[in-house]
Amino acid sequence: MNDGKTQYLPIVPKSADAIVDKSVIRVGVATITASPCVQCLDVCIDRHLDIKKQVSQTISACSFYLRNINQISRFLPRPTKERVVNAIITSRLDYSNALLYGTSAINIARLQRIQNMAARFIMRSPRSDSATPLLRELHWLPIVCRVDFKLLVFTYKAMHYDAPVYLCELVCPYQPTRTLRSANNSMLQVKRTRTKSGDCSFAIAAASLWNNLPTVIKTCDNLTSYKRLLKTHFFRIAY
């Protein structure tokens, strides 16, 4: 291991921060202290799993690029603005956004403000205008719906074995002990948990979201049709 780049992250409640800050791990002659957060695949994971640091980094990057793009906005027609924003801003908002499931309303609101800023930039609207009509005209789903959309796409792929094995193993079809009408509704088994973190795990979140979908969406025979119907479903809910 590279001693200078090796980190370890203890997952603990906030009440245990003082104890964790003093803990170390010894590997050979190297001493590794606990880190408040670590980077994994460009995602910042903190010891409380509240994704607050990752949200802050995403907002900082999006704000930086929005300011730079705004300096040349008068030279860009609207279709070009949409492509630039989707490539630079929306892609960052969507990257690993499935981890935002179950996060605080504050984190969602902070990311939503960035999306609203991007919509106003494209439509050349003042900050005082409501962003909801702009998002609807651009056909953009709000942040909370984009998180659910991503999770449900993963769920569909896992059910049809078009995902990594470790995800497919977490999706369990619901099998009632006796004959019920719900047996033909493509339901998933929702396991019981006792913690909020357990409710945010993929196995629980995927099953809960999937079971709330209309049957016509769950029974799609190809991914393209499924995504189209799923976006229409969330678009009607959001607007």
Side-chain angles (χ1 to χ4, degrees), residues 3-237:
D3 296 345
K5 296 182 178 180
T6 301
Q7 298 174 299
Y8 90 92
L9 177 70
I11 306 299
V12 297
K14 294 182 179 180
S15 58
D17 278 348
I19 300 175
V20 170
D21 289 337
K22 300 177 181 179
S23 63
V24 296
I25 291 179
R26 299 187 184 278
V27 181
V29 297
T31 300
I32 306 171
T33 58
S35 300
C37 60
V38 296
Q39 293 286 138
C40 181
L41 298 177
D42 205 27
V43 175
C44 185
I45 303 175
D46 55 80
R47 63 177 59 167
H48 306 309
L49 296 181
D50 57 10
I51 315 297
K52 184 177 180 180
K53 184 70 173 179
Q54 171 65 16
V55 170
S56 298
Q57 289 185 355
T58 301
I59 291 173
S60 177
C62 290
S63 299
F64 171 78
Y65 286 110
L66 267 177
R67 288 193 297 268
N68 288 345
I69 298 171
N70 189 50
Q71 295 179 3
I72 59 171
S73 61
R74 63 181 182 274
F75 304 112
L76 303 176
R78 175 178 162 177
T80 304
K81 286 183 180 180
E82 288 190 43
R83 288 194 290 269
V84 171
V85 168
N86 284 329
I88 299 178
I89 307 302
T90 305
S91 62
R92 281 178 166 79
L93 293 175
D94 288 343
Y95 181 73
S96 298
N97 64 341
L99 296 174
L100 295 172
Y101 182 84
T103 190
S104 65
I106 296 177
N107 285 338
I108 296 295
R110 294 175 66 197
L111 293 171
Q112 188 60 57
R113 283 195 290 269
I114 293 295
Q115 190 185 43
N116 295 346
M117 289 171 57
R120 293 190 182 99
F121 165 75
I122 293 175
M123 306 300 291
R124 301 183 65 182
S125 298
R127 295 181 60 181
S128 57
D129 288 356
S130 173
T132 301
L134 306 179
L135 297 174
R136 183 171 58 246
E137 184 175 348
L138 292 168
H139 217 264
W140 287 359
L141 292 176
I143 296 298
V144 65
C145 292
R146 301 178 86 91
V147 173
D148 293 348
F149 181 90
K150 178 70 73 63
L151 274 171
L152 285 169
V153 170
F154 288 158
T155 305
Y156 183 89
K157 291 182 177 181
M159 293 183 66
H160 294 80
Y161 304 101
D162 190 24
V165 176
Y166 60 84
L167 285 184
C168 297
E169 293 176 346
L170 297 176
V171 176
C172 302
Y174 173 64
Q175 297 178 348
T177 55
R178 54 191 177 90
T179 303
L180 300 173
R181 287 181 296 177
S182 60
N184 298 323
N185 290 340
S186 300
M187 305 286 284
L188 294 179
Q189 181 179 356
V190 182
K191 300 178 181 179
R192 294 183 180 180
T193 61
R194 297 182 179 180
T195 62
K196 183 179 179 180
S197 299
D199 293 338
C200 296
S201 64
F202 177 78
I204 308 303
S208 300
L209 292 172
W210 178 267
N211 291 345
N212 290 329
L213 287 178
T215 305
V216 65
I217 300 178
K218 293 187 288 188
T219 55
C220 281
D221 57 357
N222 64 82
L223 183 60
T224 302
S225 299
Y226 173 77
K227 285 183 176 180
R228 183 176 66 252
L229 292 175
L230 186 61
K231 183 174 182 179
T232 302
H233 171 70
F234 280 123
F235 196 81
R236 290 173 179 172
I237 293 176

